[in-house]
C-alpha cells in the first residue's frame, strides 16, 4: 500500500500539468491583444506562475518550462524537441493557446530526480 | 526429427541457392543482407561440416519445404523473415531452438548495478555550457545556411535539427546527464515573437544554452538544457 502512491508520484502525469498551465496562461493574457511593450512582463508572469504551480504539486521532478508568444501575422512556426532521458519516468507536454492576435505555446518537460 | 533432415540438407541448400540466384531483388536491402548471410552459411555448410549450424538453418526450411519444391519463392521469403531473427540472436547466443522450429527467447535478465553513493557529478564532468553553445551554433549555421522557409518541409527540418543536435550532444555529454533539446523554426515575417524559458534545477550541477540563427526567410532558436540525474 505504501509503494503505490510513491510509484504514481514518480511518473510524469500530463493531465494535471495541462490544467495548471492553461490556468496560468489564461490568467495572464486571457483577453489581451498583442502589445510589444507588455510582452516581457507577460512572458515572465506565465513562466513564473507555471513553475510555482508545478512546484506546489510536490513531486520529485526537475522542470523546464518554455514559452513562445507569437503575434498572429500569417507567418508559419514549427517547434520540435528531442530529449535524452529515461522514458519510464520523464515526460513532456505542450499546450497551445490562442486568441485573436496571439499564439502562445508552452512546453513543460519534467525529469525525475 | 533431428536425424532425418541431414540428408535433406544438401537438397534444400541447392534449392535455396537456385532460388537466390534466379530471383531478382524485389525488396532490395533486406534481401541483399540476408543473401550475404545465407550464402555465408551455405558456403560454410558445403565447405566445412559444422553440425551445430545446420539444425538452425534447416528448421527454418523444413516448415515450408514440407509441401513441395514449387514453393521456392515462398521458401525464400519466409526464410527472410525467420532468418532475420536467427541472424542476430540465434547465432550469438548459441542458438536455442525448440523442436517445433520456433526460436526460444532467452529470459531477459535484469541488470543489477551497485550503488555508487555518488551525489554529484565528478569534478571534470559538468555540463559545459560554452562547449555546448559552440556545437549548437555551428550546427545551426551549417545546416540552415541558404535554406528557404517552406511550410511543407520545415516541420521535418525542425524535427531533424532537434535529432541532429541531440546526437551531436550525446557524444560530448558527460555521464549521468539528461539532455533536453528544443528547436523553434519560423518564417521571417514582420511579426513579433519572443521565446522564454525558466527551469527548476540545481544551479551547481545543471545548466542550459541557446543559439539563434536568422536569414532572409527564416529564423531558428535552439535551446538545450543539461540536467544531472541524481
Amino acid at each position: 500500500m505504501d509503494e503505490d502512491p510513491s510509484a504514481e508520484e514518480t511518473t510524469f502525469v500530463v493531465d494535471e500539468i495541462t490544467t495548471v498551465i492553461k490556468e496560468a496562461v489564461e490568467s495572464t493574457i486571457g483577453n489581451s491583444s498583442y502589445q510589444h511593450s507588455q510582452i516581457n512582463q507577460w512572458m515572465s508572469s506565465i513562466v513564473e506562475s507555471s513553475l510555482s504551480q508545478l512546484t506546489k504539486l510536490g513531486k520529485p521532478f526537475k522542470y523546464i518550462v518554455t514559452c513562445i508568444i507569437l503575434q498572429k501575422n500569417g507567418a508559419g512556426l514549427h517547434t520540435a524537441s528531442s530529449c535524452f532521458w529515461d522514458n519510464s519516468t520523464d515526460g513532456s507536454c505542450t499546450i497551445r493557446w490562442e486568441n485573436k492576435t496571439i499564439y502562445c505555446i508552452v512546453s513543460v518537460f519534467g525529469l525525475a530526480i | 526429427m533431428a536425424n532425418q533432415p541431414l540428408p535433406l540438407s544438401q537438397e534444400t541448400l541447392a534449392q535455396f541457392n537456385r532460388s537466390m540466384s534466379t530471383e531478382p531483388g524485389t525488396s532490395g536491402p533486406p534481401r541483399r543482407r540476408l543473401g550475404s548471410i545465407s550464402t555465408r552459411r551455405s558456403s560454410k555448410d558445403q565447405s566445412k561440416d559444422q553440425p551445430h549450424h545446420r539444425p538452425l538453418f534447416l528448421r527454418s526450411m523444413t516448415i515450408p519445404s514440407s509441401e513441395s519444391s514449387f514453393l521456392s519463392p515462398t521458401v525464400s521469403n519466409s526464410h527472410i523473415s525467420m532468418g532475420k531473427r536467427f541472424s542476430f540472436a540465434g547465432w550469438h547466443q548459441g542458438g536455442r531452438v525448440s523442436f517445433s522450429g520456433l526460436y526460444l527467447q532467452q529470459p531477459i535478465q535484469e541488470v543489477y548495478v551497485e550503488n555508487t553513493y555518488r551525489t554529484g557529478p565528478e569534478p571534470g564532468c559538468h555540463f559545459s555550457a560554452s562547449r555546448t553553445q559552440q556545437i549548437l551554433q555551428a550546427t545551426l549555421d551549417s545546416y540552415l545556411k541558404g535554406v528557404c522557409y517552406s511550410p511543407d518541409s520545415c516541420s521535418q527540418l525542425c524535427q531533424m535539427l532537434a535529432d541532429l543536435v541531440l546526437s551531436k550532444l550525446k557524444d560530448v555529454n558527460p555521464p549521468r546527464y539528461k539532455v533536453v533539446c528544443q528547436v523553434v523554426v519560423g518564417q521571417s515575417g514582420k511579426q513579433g515573437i519572443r521565446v522564454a524559458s525558466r527551469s527548476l534545477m540545481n544551479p551547481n550541477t545543471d545548466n542550459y544554452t541557446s543559439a539563434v540563427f536568422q536569414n532572409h526567410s527564416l529564423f531558428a532558436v535552439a535551446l538545450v538544457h543539461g540536467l544531472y540525474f541524481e
Side-chain angles (χ1 to χ4, degrees):
Chain A
M1 266 184 67
D2 281 333
E3 283 177 15
D4 282 335
S6 63
E8 282 173 11
E9 276 180 19
T10 52
T11 53
F12 193 76
V13 180
V14 180
D15 300 326
E16 18 175 3
I17 292 185
T18 317
T19 345
V20 162
I21 302 289
K22 274 194 179 160
E23 273 176 38
V25 174
E26 296 255 335
S27 63
T28 313
I29 52 173
N31 288 321
S32 322
S33 298
Y34 185 88
Q35 285 169 47
H36 186 72
S37 50
Q38 295 224 309
I39 278 286
N40 270 338
Q41 198 185 339
W42 285 342
M43 297 287 272
S44 316
S45 155
I46 289 175
V47 169
E48 277 184 46
S49 58
S50 312
L51 209 51
S52 56
Q53 294 292 325
L54 287 172
T55 43
K56 281 183 192 169
L57 294 174
K59 296 197 174 183
F61 276 92
K62 288 183 178 174
Y63 293 105
I64 298 169
V65 177
T66 312
C67 176
I68 303 171
I69 292 188
L70 177 66
Q71 189 182 12
K72 273 193 179 180
N73 206 19
L77 183 83
H78 301 270
T79 82
S81 67
S82 60
C83 310
F84 182 61
W85 61 24
D86 183 351
N87 268 328
S88 52
T89 53
D90 308 330
S92 71
C93 83
T94 309
I95 299 103
R96 272 175 302 141
W97 185 92
E98 63 177 290
N99 70 8
K100 283 188 187 165
T101 50
I102 304 176
Y103 280 120
C104 179
I105 302 167
V106 180
S107 307
V108 180
F109 299 90
L111 286 83
I113 299 177
Chain B
M1 186 74 177
N3 290 326
Q4 273 180 12
L6 277 170
L8 273 176
S9 66
Q10 303 294 329
E11 286 179 24
T12 48
L13 265 175
Q15 206 181 75
F16 185 72
N17 284 331
R18 257 181 273 128
S19 68
M20 284 295 289
S21 57
T22 51
E23 262 193 40
T26 42
S27 53
R31 276 299 300 274
R32 233 180 291 131
R33 232 189 300 144
L34 192 64
S36 67
I37 292 169
S38 61
T39 48
R40 194 162 34 96
R41 275 190 212 157
S42 61
S43 65
K44 258 186 164 177
D45 285 333
Q46 282 168 359
S47 54
K48 312 169 196 172
D49 277 337
Q50 292 185 5
H52 59 278
H53 286 309
R54 202 168 288 153
L56 276 177
F57 183 76
L58 283 173
R59 281 182 171 90
S60 69
M61 300 298 288
T62 49
I63 293 163
S65 68
S66 60
E67 305 243 316
S68 72
S69 59
F70 302 106
L71 290 177
S72 50
T74 54
V75 158
S76 52
N77 283 334
S78 64
H79 184 65
I80 287 169
S81 56
M82 295 185 70
K84 257 193 164 171
R85 273 189 286 149
F86 283 13
S87 65
F88 69 83
W91 294 95
H92 298 298
Q93 291 180 5
R96 290 188 49 186
V97 184
S98 71
F99 262 51
S100 63
L102 294 171
Y103 176 65
L104 260 186
Q105 267 190 333
Q106 297 270 4
I108 298 169
Q109 290 163 355
E110 274 193 28
V111 178
Y112 291 103
V113 185
E114 271 187 14
N115 202 341
T116 57
Y117 297 102
R118 183 162 286 287
T119 53
E122 288 175 31
C125 288
H126 280 253
F127 180 77
S128 163
S130 52
R131 193 172 48 172
T132 315
Q133 214 276 334
Q134 285 171 3
I135 295 174
L136 205 55
Q137 192 70 60
T139 313
L140 278 185
D141 291 339
S142 63
Y143 212 77
L144 292 177
K145 205 174 179 183
V147 176
C148 272
Y149 180 85
S150 107
D152 316 316
S153 63
C154 266
S155 55
Q156 274 183 346
L157 173 75
C158 199
Q159 186 66 58
M160 214 163 25
L161 260 177
D163 294 335
L164 182 70
V165 167
L166 191 69
S167 60
K168 290 205 170 179
L169 289 176
K170 272 197 221 173
D171 299 331
V172 296
N173 202 28
R176 297 190 77 137
Y177 267 89
K178 293 182 180 176
V179 175
V180 175
C181 165
Q182 191 172 9
V183 176
V184 180
V185 171
Q187 189 176 14
S188 252
K190 288 187 181 165
Q191 80 278 7
I193 179 173
R194 192 160 279 263
V195 178
S197 142
R198 198 164 285 238
S199 40
L200 183 70
M201 50 162 84
N202 183 351
N204 298 327
T205 56
D206 307 329
N207 215 335
Y208 76 97
T209 45
S210 64
V212 178
F213 172 85
Q214 189 169 16
N215 69 11
H216 63 280
S217 72
L218 58 73
F219 68 90
V221 179
L223 283 167
V224 172
H225 294 257
L227 304 175
Y228 182 71
F229 180 53
E230 291 173 29

